[in-house]
């Protein structure tokens, strides 16, 4: 970068725009509450990004944690923690706790490094900044958590994990996507690189959550007296009945369509054929999300096409289930007219600039999201507040753990439940990340003027469980 352009950059960021041009009557703090913090050298409320950040980061993150590499893991290791037996012993629970603490630190450190290497305009974006701070907060909390030496320490660690899963970190998913949309609109980063970045961060996020959830699951099994992990994998993977999940997704779609139009609108019939009795091990929340999003696209276009053509009856949506011992395939066929020719970017998080603007606008209207920020004290997510730390740690009592139950915040499910008013344009892009994570893929085959086949393939998780991979099974 030439000296001139450096000077220009500095001038750009230090120049305060004339906000009265946008609204003469309402103050800027009312219209955009965080604008003042994005204009100063450091966000005013930030606990991490301040004049000490560079030195702290260099001494701790760069010199200690970036020197270590994350461990690629197999599904079997995830479930059984480095030994062959499925017996749950005290030692195993404790060493799993130790592993999770260290591994999460290292993994999040590398993602912080990735964010730090983005162009300044990108990482300085309000939403990416929220993600950055949240990651730094996770990094510091894991790093400082006392060593786990016995069962009691582990119990405390589990309460801590549960708090981390359910507090403001659950906002990272929407913030990541909103950040990507803003960068798209402002042309801050090439779209293909942005899509790769978001996919990478999302895959890493899935892995971290799995590692944490699995530890919570085996601890809770152990404490409730179940001394054996009877399944090949831990309890977070469950036997899923394909037909049941499809019918569940159908109900969600019908409710969505009724909400979009009116109760009693002509609804397509859902026909399920092929291997209709299929049952397989999978992560229930991910399966619900995948089938829900895909089926919803088909329902939406079918109903629209039915109205457009003035048909008496909506054509059906047909799901064909195919399975072999390698993978499971769901082919969702609709007669909704096919993917519009103009839509070349269905796999991108940013889509076109125009669509990105619409999606971003809808994100801002999602109930509960528009007011939430790491810096808010009103939502209990203030980093500086001890009260916050106390309450989130308390949320999961010892009682809950010993009952063999744990429930964590599920941002994915919240997204799935969004109303038709809030089109985010991210269904397919997100589904692809999840399908690929589970050793599968997602493709769309469209016949213009007729309909679309969306094909979801998921790997059989009982195969290749010894394969070592990072952020993929
Ligand atoms: N079955 C389908 N038939 C026709 N077009 C489809 C189908 N599925 C997806 N598309 C096209 O792909 C685009 C992207 O789909 P995606 O699910 O990612 O976002 P969306 O449906 O527009 O928004 P959201 O999922 O947030 O409601 C859709 O806008 C639509 O144009
Ligand atoms: Mg969709």
């Amino acid at each position: 970068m030439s000296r001139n352009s450096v000077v220009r950059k500095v001038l750009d960021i230090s120049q305060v725009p004339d906000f009265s041009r946008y609204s003469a009557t309402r103050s800027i703090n009312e219209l955009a509450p965080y604008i003042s913090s994005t204009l100063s050298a450091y966000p005013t409320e930030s606990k991490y990004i301040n004049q000490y950040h560079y030195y702290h980061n260099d001494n701790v993150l760069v010199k200690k944690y970036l020197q270590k590499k994350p461990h690629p893991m197999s599904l079997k290791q995830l479930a059984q923690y480095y030994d062959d037996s499925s017996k749950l012993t005290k030692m195993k629970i404790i060493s799993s706790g130790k592993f999770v603490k260290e591994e999460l630190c290292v993994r999040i450190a590398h993602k912080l490094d990735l964010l730090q290497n983005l162009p300044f305009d990108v990482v300085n974006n309000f939403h990416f900044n929220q993600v950055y701070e949240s990651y730094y907060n996770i990094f510091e909390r894991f790093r400082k958590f006392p060593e786990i030496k016995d069962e009691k320490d582990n119990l405390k660690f589990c309460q801590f994990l549960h708090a981390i899963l359910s507090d403001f970190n659950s906002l990272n998913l929407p913030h990541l996507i909103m950040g990507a949309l803003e960068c798209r609109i402002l042309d801050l980063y090439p779209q293909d690189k942005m899509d790769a970045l978001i996919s990478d961060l999302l895959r890493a996020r899935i892995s971290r959550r799995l590692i944490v959830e699995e530890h919570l699951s085996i601890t809770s099994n152990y404490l409730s007296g179940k001394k054996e992990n009877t399944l090949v994998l831990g309890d977070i993977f469950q036997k899923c009945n394909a037909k049941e999940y499809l019918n569940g997704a159908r109900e969600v779609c019908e409710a969505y369509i009724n909400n979009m139009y009116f109760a009693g609108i002509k609804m397509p019939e859902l026909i399920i054929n092929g291997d209709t009795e299929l049952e397989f091990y999978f992560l229930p929340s991910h399966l619900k999300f995948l089938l829900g999003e895909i089926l919803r696209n088909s329902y939406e276009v079918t109903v629209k096409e039915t109205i457009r053509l003035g048909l008496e009856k909506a054509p059906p949506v047909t799901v064909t289930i195919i399975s072999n011992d390698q993978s499971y395939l769901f082919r969702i066929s609709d007669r909704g007219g096919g993917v519009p020719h103009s839509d070349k970017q269905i796999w991108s998080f940013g889509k076109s600039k125009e669509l990105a603007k619409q999606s971003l606008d809808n994100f801002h209207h999602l109930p509960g999201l528009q007011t939430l920020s790491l810096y808010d004290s009103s939502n209990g997510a203030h980093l500086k507040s001890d009260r916050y730390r106390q309450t989130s740690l308390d949320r999961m009592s010892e009682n809950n753990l010993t009952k063999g139950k744990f429930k964590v915040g599920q941002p994915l499910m919240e997204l799935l439940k969004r109303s038709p008013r809030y089109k985010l344009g991210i269904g397919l892009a997100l589904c692809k990340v999840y399908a690929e994570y589970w050793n599968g893929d997602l493709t769309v085959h469209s016949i213009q003027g007729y309909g679309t086949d969306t094909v979801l393939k998921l790997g059989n998780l009982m195969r290749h469980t010894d394969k070592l991979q990072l952020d993929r099974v």
Side-chain angles (χ1 to χ4, degrees):
M1 199 184 273
S2 72
R3 192 169 174 278
N4 267 352
S5 65
V6 171
V7 172
R8 190 155 44 79
K9 269 241 139 43
V10 171
L11 281 179
D12 282 347
I13 60 168
S14 60
Q15 242 165 29
V16 181
D18 176 12
F19 290 116
S20 59
R21 275 195 304 143
Y22 304 109
S23 167
T25 49
R26 292 170 70 191
S27 83
I28 187 59
N29 283 336
E30 198 184 321
L31 292 171
Y34 308 111
I35 199 86
S36 50
S37 85
T38 58
L39 289 174
S40 56
Y42 303 105
T44 39
E45 303 268 6
S46 173
K47 190 177 173 189
Y48 301 102
I49 309 171
N50 50 35
Q51 56 272 50
Y52 310 113
H53 188 51
Y54 174 81
Y55 302 100
H56 176 77
N57 187 66
D58 197 44
N59 282 329
V60 180
L61 187 119
V62 178
K63 297 215 171 90
K64 285 199 190 133
Y65 286 89
L66 289 187
Q67 306 310 318
K68 305 177 191 176
K69 292 262 168 298
H71 291 86
M73 281 164 84
S74 70
L75 266 181
K76 202 180 208 167
Q77 284 172 341
L78 182 68
Q80 301 188 345
Y81 294 100
Y82 299 117
D83 79 41
D84 293 336
S85 91
S86 54
K87 290 240 178 317
L88 289 176
T89 59
K90 191 167 95 179
M91 268 323 290
K92 195 168 194 166
I93 301 293
I94 294 169
S95 42
S96 158
K98 281 183 200 249
F99 171 78
V100 173
K101 174 175 142 57
E102 175 71 9
E103 184 70 9
L104 266 276
C105 257
V106 174
R107 285 184 182 228
I108 204 95
H110 281 274
K111 292 306 149 190
L112 280 165
D113 182 51
L114 181 69
L115 290 176
Q116 286 171 1
N117 281 300
L118 289 172
F120 178 74
D121 280 348
V122 176
V123 75
N124 195 42
N125 168 277
F126 174 75
H127 298 288
F128 275 112
N129 206 279
Q130 297 280 303
V131 174
Y132 181 81
E133 291 224 23
S134 162
Y135 281 13
Y136 227 97
N137 172 270
I138 296 173
F139 173 66
E140 287 292 303
R141 281 156 84 190
F142 268 95
R143 185 174 73 81
K144 290 182 183 162
F145 197 89
E147 197 190 333
I148 299 157
K149 295 197 211 88
D150 53 29
E151 261 183 273
K152 237 177 152 183
D153 295 342
N154 184 50
L155 195 62
K156 278 201 195 115
F157 183 57
C158 285
Q159 290 168 341
F160 161 85
L161 290 178
H162 190 269
I164 288 226
L165 281 182
S166 48
D167 62 25
F168 55 79
N169 301 308
S170 57
L171 289 176
N172 284 343
L173 179 63
H175 274 311
L176 270 179
I177 298 167
M178 288 166 89
L181 292 172
E182 285 194 1
C183 290
R184 170 78 179 132
I185 295 164
L186 298 171
D187 265 332
L188 296 180
Y189 203 51
Q191 192 55 31
D192 53 339
K193 279 190 171 180
M194 181 57 84
D195 286 333
L197 172 75
I198 299 291
S199 302
D200 177 307
L201 292 173
L202 288 176
R203 272 197 305 273
R205 181 176 182 277
I206 300 173
S207 292
R208 291 194 305 272
R209 289 184 85 91
L210 282 179
I211 292 173
V212 166
E213 285 178 17
E214 184 63 24
H215 180 65
L216 287 174
S217 163
I218 62 164
T219 300
S220 119
N221 279 352
Y222 176 74
L223 291 176
S224 63
K226 187 178 165 192
K227 302 291 181 210
E228 192 132 7
N229 249 359
T230 40
L231 305 179
V232 183
L233 309 167
D235 276 1
I236 58 171
F237 301 94
Q238 283 169 22
K239 200 171 225 173
C240 300
N241 179 304
K243 205 154 98 189
E244 259 172 43
Y245 275 75
L246 281 167
N247 279 319
R250 173 181 53 83
E251 281 168 25
V252 174
C253 292
E254 289 179 352
Y256 177 86
I257 295 291
N258 279 329
N259 187 346
M260 195 167 172
Y261 296 94
F262 50 88
I265 177 126
K266 288 171 205 158
M267 204 67 80
E269 184 195 353
L270 180 71
I271 300 174
I272 304 172
N273 57 36
D275 189 357
T276 53
E277 300 309 313
L278 174 69
E279 287 194 331
F280 63 111
Y281 281 101
F282 207 70
L283 209 73
S285 58
H286 287 193
L287 188 60
K288 263 188 211 159
F289 178 75
L290 286 163
L291 294 176
E293 287 289 335
I294 297 169
L295 220 54
R296 177 152 80 184
N297 282 347
S298 287
Y299 267 67
E300 229 183 291
V301 290
T302 304
V303 171
K304 262 193 203 140
E305 191 72 350
T306 307
I307 296 171
R308 194 179 72 84
L309 299 175
L311 302 178
E312 217 155 84
K313 200 165 167 258
V317 172
T318 309
V319 182
T320 311
I321 306 171
I322 302 160
S323 68
N324 63 15
D325 64 341
Q326 297 284 337
S327 44
Y328 310 108
L329 196 134
F330 295 83
R331 184 181 64 211
I332 295 110
S333 314
D334 64 58
R335 283 190 242 153
V339 179
H341 266 317
S342 59
D343 217 336
K344 291 200 187 82
Q345 289 178 307
I346 55 173
W347 301 109
S348 163
F349 284 98
K351 308 255 181 330
S352 69
K353 238 185 222 189
E354 223 21 71
L355 283 175
K357 276 185 195 158
Q358 286 168 22
S359 301
L360 187 66
D361 196 43
N362 284 334
F363 261 108
H364 281 291
H365 287 98
L366 275 186
L369 196 66
Q370 71 277 29
T371 53
L372 280 179
S373 143
L374 219 62
Y375 305 138
D376 284 337
S377 44
S378 52
N379 64 29
H382 199 298
L383 288 174
K384 285 180 182 162
S385 157
D386 285 339
R387 186 182 64 87
Y388 156 68
R389 251 181 241 135
Q390 202 53 47
T391 49
S392 53
L393 281 181
D394 283 349
R395 236 178 264 156
M396 188 187 198
S397 65
E398 193 168 327
N399 210 5
N400 269 349
L401 269 175
T402 45
K403 274 194 221 138
K405 268 193 196 149
F406 73 96
K407 210 171 173 290
V408 290
Q410 294 201 316
L412 254 199
M413 291 298 105
E414 292 305 312
L415 273 188
L416 182 61
K417 282 189 271 168
R418 70 190 175 273
S419 113
R421 273 183 295 161
Y422 308 121
K423 248 195 162 333
L424 304 178
I426 50 162
L428 287 179
L430 264 180
C431 286
K432 202 175 182 66
V433 172
Y434 282 85
E436 287 177 356
Y437 188 93
W438 296 111
N439 210 0
D441 59 37
L442 181 66
T443 51
V444 166
H445 308 268
S446 151
I447 297 178
Q448 191 63 21
Y450 182 78
T452 308
D453 277 6
T454 310
V455 182
L456 169 70
K457 193 165 111 185
L458 300 170
N460 178 349
L461 300 185
M462 296 300 138
R463 303 268 309 181
H464 313 300
T465 51
D466 290 321
K467 202 155 105 188
L468 291 175
Q469 290 195 94
L470 191 66
D471 296 339
R472 195 174 183 145
V473 301

